[in-house]
Amino acid sequence: DTGVSQNPRHKITKRGQNVTFRCDPISEHNRLYWYRQTLGQGPEFLTYFQNEAQLEKSRLLSDRFSAERPKGSFSTLEIQRTEQGDSAMYLCASSLERGNGYTFGSGTRLTVV
Amino acid sequence: AQRVTQPEKLLSVFKGAPVELKCNYSYSGSPELFWYVQYSRQRLQLLLRHISRESIKGFTADLNKGETSFHLKKPFAQEEDSAMYYCALSGTGNTPLVFGKGTRLSVIA
């Protein structure tokens, strides 16, 4: 197990296009989190899953954002009709339910032009 | 509401000098506090958590509930400590982490 894996590492897209990111967590971790980070800010919580159930969504997560975790394994985060304000680093993390902290992936950097 | 405040965006110290990175939080319940570190071109990683009461890479942090603080300290800074440091809080029921905006530590040789 090489930790939390995120793909792609970078994505450049035109405004209005849809994009999808993937996160593969540590296999024994049942919790999976998505965060967004912009320049000069700390990671901001978007949503999280416990197994396949999506337990919480931030108000930052507009209707254009959707996340899934089928079968409680990998997760995808889709952004529809991208806007320039969506440009950010999207971070995925996983943990045990009562864990010792999160393990983060390297992130997917999205640039909307 | 949960909030984490790191008042310093940048902290510069000389090698061998003591370091204190400040973190204050706002939470009405019993929080769990963490420090995460991000070295240049690396992913965010856990440095330490308050309930373990351990020292990692010479760093310690004590939860002060009276002052609602969780400052990170190291007696003698090393050049390899230069990184971005984030304080984070999890609320009762193991709620998702809320992060501060981070402090960039620069250790000058």
Side-chain angles (χ1 to χ4, degrees):
Chain A
D1 196 325
T2 56
V4 178
S5 176
Q6 290 189 247
N7 289 289
R9 293 292 301 273
H10 305 276
K11 178 72 177 178
I12 300 174
T13 191
K14 291 184 177 180
R15 189 172 47 189
Q17 298 295 303
N18 299 343
V19 293
T20 300
F21 311 140
R22 176 177 170 127
C23 172
D24 288 89
I26 292 174
S27 55
E28 57 265 31
H29 286 181
N30 58 353
R31 283 199 171 187
L32 185 149
Y33 309 83
W34 285 100
Y35 282 80
R36 181 174 69 187
Q37 187 172 23
T38 53
L39 197 63
Q41 302 294 319
E44 297 172 298
F45 170 74
L46 293 178
T47 188
Y48 88 100
F49 294 83
Q50 183 163 307
N51 301 312
E52 66 274 10
Q54 189 173 16
L55 295 188
E56 187 175 339
K57 292 193 286 188
S58 162
R59 53 188 165 81
L60 291 176
L61 214 65
S62 75
D63 291 344
R64 297 184 297 106
F65 287 70
S66 62
E68 294 183 340
R69 193 184 182 196
K71 303 178 183 177
S73 56
F74 71 92
S75 175
T76 58
L77 178 68
E78 181 183 16
I79 309 174
Q80 296 182 326
R81 305 180 304 281
T82 52
E83 302 172 355
Q84 286 190 318
D86 297 332
S87 295
M89 176 73 86
Y90 289 84
L91 298 170
C92 176
S94 68
S95 76
L96 295 169
E97 182 175 344
R98 294 271 174 201
N100 297 317
Y102 298 179
T103 301
F104 279 86
S106 296
T108 294
R109 182 170 295 283
L110 173 66
T111 303
V112 182
V113 297
Chain B
Q2 304 168 17
R3 180 175 293 178
V4 176
T5 302
Q6 294 179 251
E8 303 139 328
K9 292 183 73 172
L10 173 65
L11 182 64
S12 295
V13 301
F14 286 103
K15 178 181 173 182
V19 174
E20 182 177 68
L21 298 167
K22 290 183 167 47
C23 172
N24 289 90
Y25 67 89
S26 174
Y27 182 62
S28 56
S30 290
E32 193 167 337
L33 274 297
F34 301 80
W35 277 98
Y36 282 78
V37 61
Q38 188 166 28
Y39 301 102
S40 179
R41 302 185 187 281
Q42 294 188 27
R43 61 186 67 188
L44 199 58
Q45 57 186 280
L46 177 66
L47 181 61
L48 54 80
R49 54 199 298 244
H50 88 269
I51 64 171
S52 62
R53 302 187 66 82
E54 57 192 344
S55 173
I56 303 293
K57 300 184 179 183
F59 284 98
T60 59
D62 291 317
L63 178 60
N64 185 323
K65 291 187 177 182
E67 296 183 357
T68 60
S69 68
F70 188 57
H71 303 328
L72 183 68
K73 300 177 183 179
K74 185 170 182 176
F76 308 104
Q78 304 297 316
E79 287 180 76
E80 54 265 30
D81 296 330
S82 295
M84 199 72 191
Y85 291 81
Y86 295 96
C87 183
L89 176 155
S90 177
T92 305
N94 206 16
T95 58
L97 288 176
V98 173
F99 285 84
K101 293 186 177 183
T103 297
R104 180 171 297 283
L105 175 64
S106 177
V107 181
I108 306 163

